[in-house]
């Protein structure tokens, strides 16, 4: 997939979203390992697009706090969508993760880490700023962000029980600074090319991936989770298909020129509280 750098603005509009072929999509029905690779790649690629849209929404809300409510409410939904993408990406068994996914990341780099993602890097600070500057508007966003942290912990506990991340295992307890080489390596692993694109192109790439994920989940729903006592995570698991369908619907609205404006209010006002 092709994404701009986080510091690059989108280039000019070009009409309807571009639907791009996903050449790297595996024939996931072949076996469990191939299915795990397919979900790991597709879920992460969709998340990268969500992160970019989320960052733009929060920057817009912080720049115009008096008009921030629709943007912050939609941002909460996008965080929920990202949480579902985490559940999707990490839905393989512990055994398959350790025999397939983890060794491939180690082969790319012994300290391979999601912290190397360019697109995620600005989000924690933007979410904190939104909660500080817009406390009333950002209540839903705060709840979604908290649930997202719980999802991260649940997936980590399932896939690496009593273990460390590759980054922590390789670096110990000292401070970790991400280099441009590591950011490039992360992009290469997930088949991401960097160059300026229009917002329509990004939306088209995300929409196609969400369609493929929806089809995959229809054929093979998320497995029963081991975290039954964690209600926010269970809520996201139970409502995963609906959350992604709402995200897809919002993208269709944005694609006709709204770009997170008034049409996002329908989605924002319908959000079910955790």
């Amino acid at each position: 997939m092709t994404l701009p750098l986080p510091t690059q603005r989108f280039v000019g509009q070009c009409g309807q979203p571009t639907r791009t072929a996903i050449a790297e999509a595996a024939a996931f029905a072949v076996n469990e390992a191939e299915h795990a690779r397919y979900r790991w790649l597709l879920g992460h690629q969709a998340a990268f697009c969500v992160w970019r849209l989320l960052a733009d929404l929060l920057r817009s809300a912080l720049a115009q706090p008096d008009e921030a409510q629709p943007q912050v409410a939609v941002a909460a939904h996008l965080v929920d969508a990202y949480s579902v993408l985490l559940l999707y990406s990490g839905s393989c068994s512990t055994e398959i993760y350790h025999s397939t996914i983890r060794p491939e990341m180690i082969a790319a780099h012994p300290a391979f880490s999601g912290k190397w993602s360019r697109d995620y890097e600005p989000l924690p600070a933007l979410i904190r700023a939104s909660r500080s500057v817009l406390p009333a508007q950002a209540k839903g966003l705060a709840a979604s962000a908290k649930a997202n942290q719980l999802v991260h912990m649940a997936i980590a506990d399932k896939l690496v029980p009593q273990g460390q991340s590759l980054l922590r295992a390789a670096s110990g307890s000292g401070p970790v600074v991400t280099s441009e080489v590591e950011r490039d390596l992360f992009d290469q692993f997930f088949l991401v090319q960097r160059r300026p694109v229009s917002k329509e192109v990004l939306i088209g790439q995300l929409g196609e991936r969400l369609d493929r994920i929806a089809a995959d989940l229809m054929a093979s729903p998320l497995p029963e989770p081991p975290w039954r006592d964690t209600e926010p995570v269970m809520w996201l698991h139970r409502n995963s298909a609906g959350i992604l369908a709402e995200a897809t619907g919002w993208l269709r609205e944005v694609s006709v020129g709204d770009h997170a404006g008034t049409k996002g209010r329908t989605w924002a006002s319908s959000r079910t509280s955790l």
Side-chain angles (χ1 to χ4, degrees):
M1 77 184 315
T2 304
L3 295 174
L5 292 167
T7 54
Q8 289 176 325
R9 293 179 179 272
F10 289 113
V11 298
Q13 297 181 14
C14 54
Q16 293 297 315
T18 301
R19 308 292 283 181
T20 57
I22 306 176
E24 66 273 10
F28 58 78
V30 172
N31 57 54
E32 191 177 356
E34 287 300 316
H35 197 182
R37 287 192 186 97
Y38 178 85
R39 288 189 166 188
W40 193 256
L41 175 64
L42 199 61
H44 277 82
Q45 287 190 343
F48 304 157
C49 297
V50 167
W51 292 342
R52 175 57 193 257
L53 293 172
L54 179 57
D56 284 359
L57 275 171
L58 294 179
R59 290 190 184 103
S60 176
L62 290 166
Q64 296 180 298
D66 292 340
E67 302 175 8
Q69 182 59 45
Q71 286 86 353
V72 176
V74 172
H77 271 288
L78 286 179
V79 174
D80 287 343
Y82 166 43
S83 294
V84 173
L85 292 171
L86 272 175
L87 293 173
Y88 175 79
S89 299
S91 58
C92 64
S93 67
T94 305
E95 292 74 22
I96 287 294
Y97 176 77
H98 282 274
S99 65
T100 303
I101 304 298
R102 194 171 172 93
E104 291 177 2
M105 292 191 295
I106 292 172
H109 194 288
F112 192 90
S113 172
K115 293 182 182 294
W116 296 353
S117 170
R118 288 182 164 98
D119 304 291
Y120 183 77
E121 198 167 14
L123 282 180
L126 285 169
I127 291 173
R128 287 194 300 270
S130 299
R131 294 174 64 179
S132 175
V133 176
L134 307 163
Q137 299 97 317
K139 289 182 179 178
L141 176 63
S144 293
K146 182 176 180 180
N148 182 263
Q149 291 177 336
L150 293 174
V151 170
H152 269 278
M153 293 167 59
I155 295 295
D157 287 345
K158 185 189 85 163
L159 296 182
V160 195
Q162 299 179 337
Q164 289 182 309
S165 69
L166 295 179
L167 179 64
R168 186 55 62 195
S171 61
S173 58
V176 178
V177 178
T178 302
S179 69
E180 286 301 304
V181 171
E182 290 163 341
R183 293 186 180 97
D184 288 342
L185 191 151
F186 186 87
D187 281 349
Q188 292 165 13
F189 184 86
F190 287 106
L191 306 180
V192 174
Q193 298 179 355
R194 297 287 176 174
R195 64 176 174 81
V197 299
S198 69
K199 194 166 192 173
E200 287 77 13
V201 167
L202 183 141
I203 287 171
Q205 292 179 106
L206 175 55
E208 183 162 4
R209 281 155 180 80
L210 291 180
D211 287 346
R212 286 176 176 263
I213 290 169
D216 183 14
L217 289 175
M218 283 288 291
S220 181
L222 293 176
E224 285 297 314
W227 44 73
R228 297 181 183 277
D229 59 340
T230 310
E231 179 52 30
V233 184
M234 288 300 300
W235 183 89
L236 289 161
H237 184 276
R238 288 194 304 268
N239 294 281
S240 56
I243 290 168
L244 293 183
E246 286 185 327
T248 302
W250 178 74
L251 289 172
R252 292 194 179 100
E253 292 180 347
V254 173
S255 72
V256 297
D258 180 69
H259 297 298
T262 56
K263 290 189 179 181
R265 295 183 189 182
T266 302
W267 188 18
S269 62
S270 67
R271 185 175 187 275
T272 302
S273 172
L274 290 178

